[in-house]
Amino acid sequence: MISFYPGPSRIHDQIPKYVKDAATLGIMSMNHRSDEFIQLSKRTIALLKKRLRVPKKYTVFFTSSATECWEILAQSLITKKSYHIYNGAFGQKWFEYTQHITNSAQSFKFDKEEELDVVDHIYSSNDGVICITQNETSNGTQVSNTILKKLRNQNPNHLIAIDATSSMAGVKLDFKQADVWFASVQKCFGLPAGLAVMVCSPRALEQVKSKGEKKHYNSLLFMTEMMERWQTTYTPNVLGIYLLMRVLQDMKSINSVHKETLERFRQWEVFLRPFESIKMLINNQEVQSLTVLSIEAESKLVTKIKMKAKKQGILLGEGYGELKNNTFRIANFPAIKESEIKQLQKFLQTIE
Ligand SMILES: *Cc1c(COP(=O)(O)O)cnc(C)c1O
């Protein structure tokens, strides 16, 4: 089965070999307080920073999922308010999870065809974390680096947190324009689920320190103390970290990866243009995600396409949330092969 699901998604071809290597090398029973683990953790973090161009002063953490990161931030970073600016299901979930914990989250919805207007988001009170879903996986939209930069310039005193789960390692992200970035690895990283990375600026960690929250196993304060020794507060997904290291070793610089993602995206655009019964859900080029394509069609046709594709060994992404019936999604992630894209395109040509 060729998976075009936008998460869990197609894993890199080499993963089975790396799992085998992990077994041979004893990684699967490696002690998480051992020197070997410390070396693995240190090496993985250095590679992540290098490949993705994360500022040197930022700290990288390992967590189990993006969802865990939502909760960590609500518990340990947000002191009073948080401003959740979103246009889709994942942004909304982040808002809701935060609201359950802090009871002071505010939501600001914008239309999926609309470019986020930063003028509407100048916050006067100095306190409050601005939360943005950079790539909204549910509808295939993104917030550009340019907009994030404007948002940062207009709110210099606020911390900004970014969910980049379905874009990190697939497109170039300007890490210095925000204080917290996180992503789970089962999307653009092309790895099996069960691990996420979270990147924090020194300013974010200062706020964590002054908040001093110590009620949870995943209190960011404890995590920071452990990460000073390249460790985690609980036994982490050591195999996942090892696989991440191997994939990062193979990975080209994010600039080349970005170029390839963009080229493939353009190719999809040209391919889809002549179709009458299916079209891109998002019309505004400025907000179209490069890594997740949401395709719109009549609900009967959507069902037929997904079913027929499956029979041919192609797994398409279901529509998400309220878009379930009228859309399907195609991941444009680095692990997907050119030949697989050709195969899907050949199939789509038969449906019209
Ligand atoms: C997939 C996804 C999540 C959830 O990731 P988990 O690893 O399941 O917690 C959160 N945010 C976005 C934008 C996603 O695409």
Side-chain angles (χ1 to χ4, degrees):
M1 201 62 132
I2 308 167
S3 177
F4 286 91
Y5 225 100
S9 48
R10 192 201 195 290
I11 55 167
H12 286 288
D13 267 350
Q14 302 88 330
I15 299 294
K17 177 184 180 307
Y18 297 160
V19 172
K20 223 172 164 183
D21 289 350
T24 312
L25 295 167
I27 305 287
M28 294 185 200
S29 37
M30 180 185 271
N31 187 299
H32 62 297
R33 303 286 174 231
S34 66
D35 283 343
E36 287 80 8
F37 176 78
I38 291 170
Q39 289 315 313
L40 169 64
S41 168
K42 207 170 155 179
R43 173 107 187 92
T44 309
I45 288 168
L47 272 168
L48 184 94
K49 283 186 159 183
K50 188 170 172 205
R51 295 286 188 264
L52 302 185
R53 295 174 151 265
V54 175
K56 278 207 177 70
K57 289 192 172 144
Y58 281 40
T59 304
V60 177
F61 297 96
F62 298 117
T63 70
S64 59
S65 68
T67 305
E68 189 193 354
C69 296
W70 292 340
E71 290 216 341
I72 289 172
L73 299 176
Q75 290 163 2
S76 302
L77 181 75
I78 296 167
T79 49
K80 273 199 202 110
K81 291 195 184 96
S82 55
Y83 310 108
H84 298 258
I85 310 169
Y86 61 85
N87 70 4
F90 284 101
Q92 178 161 349
K93 268 196 193 175
W94 186 5
F95 161 68
E96 286 165 359
Y97 275 88
T98 306
Q99 178 64 357
H100 287 311
I101 292 174
T102 67
N103 207 25
S104 57
Q106 295 183 11
S107 76
F108 302 89
K109 289 189 202 169
F110 63 104
D111 191 84
K112 61 182 186 304
E113 288 289 348
E114 191 189 308
E115 217 175 351
L116 197 162
D117 192 352
V118 288
V119 179
D120 296 341
H121 297 285
I122 302 172
Y123 298 102
S124 53
S125 120
N126 277 351
D127 200 20
V129 178
I130 301 172
C131 301
I132 309 253
T133 304
Q134 191 274 327
N135 199 73
E136 180 47 77
T137 323
S138 68
N139 57 26
T141 60
Q142 69 160 339
V143 179
S144 69
N145 285 320
T146 314
I147 302 259
L148 292 178
K149 189 172 179 181
K150 282 188 192 158
L151 189 74
R152 179 73 145 185
N153 290 340
Q154 300 218 1
N155 297 280
N157 296 320
H158 290 77
L159 293 175
I160 301 178
I162 311 271
D163 181 341
T165 300
S166 52
S167 54
M168 193 187 288
V171 297
K172 210 168 130 187
L173 298 169
D174 190 358
F175 283 87
K176 63 180 181 303
Q177 302 309 339
D179 300 285
V180 181
W181 296 81
F182 57 87
S184 33
V185 298
Q186 74 274 19
K187 308 215 172 151
C188 282
F189 283 96
L191 285 159
L195 179 70
V197 290
M198 183 166 70
V199 176
C200 295
S201 73
R203 208 152 68 103
L205 295 184
E206 270 166 38
Q207 176 153 323
V208 166
K209 211 168 167 187
S210 73
K211 181 170 179 180
E213 183 276 312
K214 293 179 178 175
K215 281 190 275 195
H216 305 274
Y217 78 95
N218 55 5
S219 291
L220 197 41
L221 195 61
F222 296 147
M223 289 173 63
T224 309
E225 284 167 14
M226 292 309 290
M227 202 28 95
E228 280 164 16
R229 285 163 278 150
W230 309 99
Q231 292 173 46
T232 51
T233 58
Y234 59 94
T235 316
N237 182 349
V238 181
L239 174 62
I241 295 169
Y242 174 77
L243 297 177
L244 174 61
M245 183 194 75
R246 296 293 303 260
V247 162
L248 287 169
Q249 278 173 338
D250 296 340
M251 190 182 157
K252 290 183 213 146
S253 81
I254 193 63
N255 288 346
S256 326
V257 175
H258 182 101
K259 218 172 129 211
E260 202 161 300
T261 303
L262 184 64
E263 271 166 21
R264 284 173 164 202
F265 171 76
R266 297 262 179 263
Q267 189 189 317
W268 268 117
E269 254 185 339
V270 171
F271 173 81
L272 288 165
R273 209 168 287 148
F275 281 80
E276 277 168 20
S277 56
I278 62 172
K279 67 176 209 54
M280 293 257 221
L281 172 72
I282 304 300
N283 297 305
N284 184 355
Q285 298 272 319
E286 300 299 322
V287 302
Q288 168 66 51
S289 161
L290 301 181
T291 51
V292 179
L293 280 70
S294 195
I295 312 288
E296 190 180 24
E298 276 189 12
S299 64
K300 267 191 192 155
L301 186 60
V302 169
T303 312
K304 193 174 122 189
I305 290 171
K306 283 188 300 193
M307 228 173 56
K308 279 184 114 176
K310 205 165 178 180
K311 275 193 193 140
Q312 299 199 16
I314 299 169
L315 183 66
L316 291 168
E318 295 272 351
Y320 197 95
E322 60 185 28
L323 296 165
K324 191 166 176 63
N325 295 330
N326 286 81
T327 62
F328 62 91
R329 291 174 300 159
I330 300 172
N332 184 33
F333 293 165
I336 297 167
K337 290 184 175 174
E338 200 64 41
S339 61
E340 294 168 339
I341 296 173
K342 288 273 159 334
Q343 201 174 325
L344 172 55
Q345 293 183 340
K346 207 169 151 196
F347 160 72
L348 287 172
Q349 255 151 359
T350 66
I351 59 121
E352 256 200 349

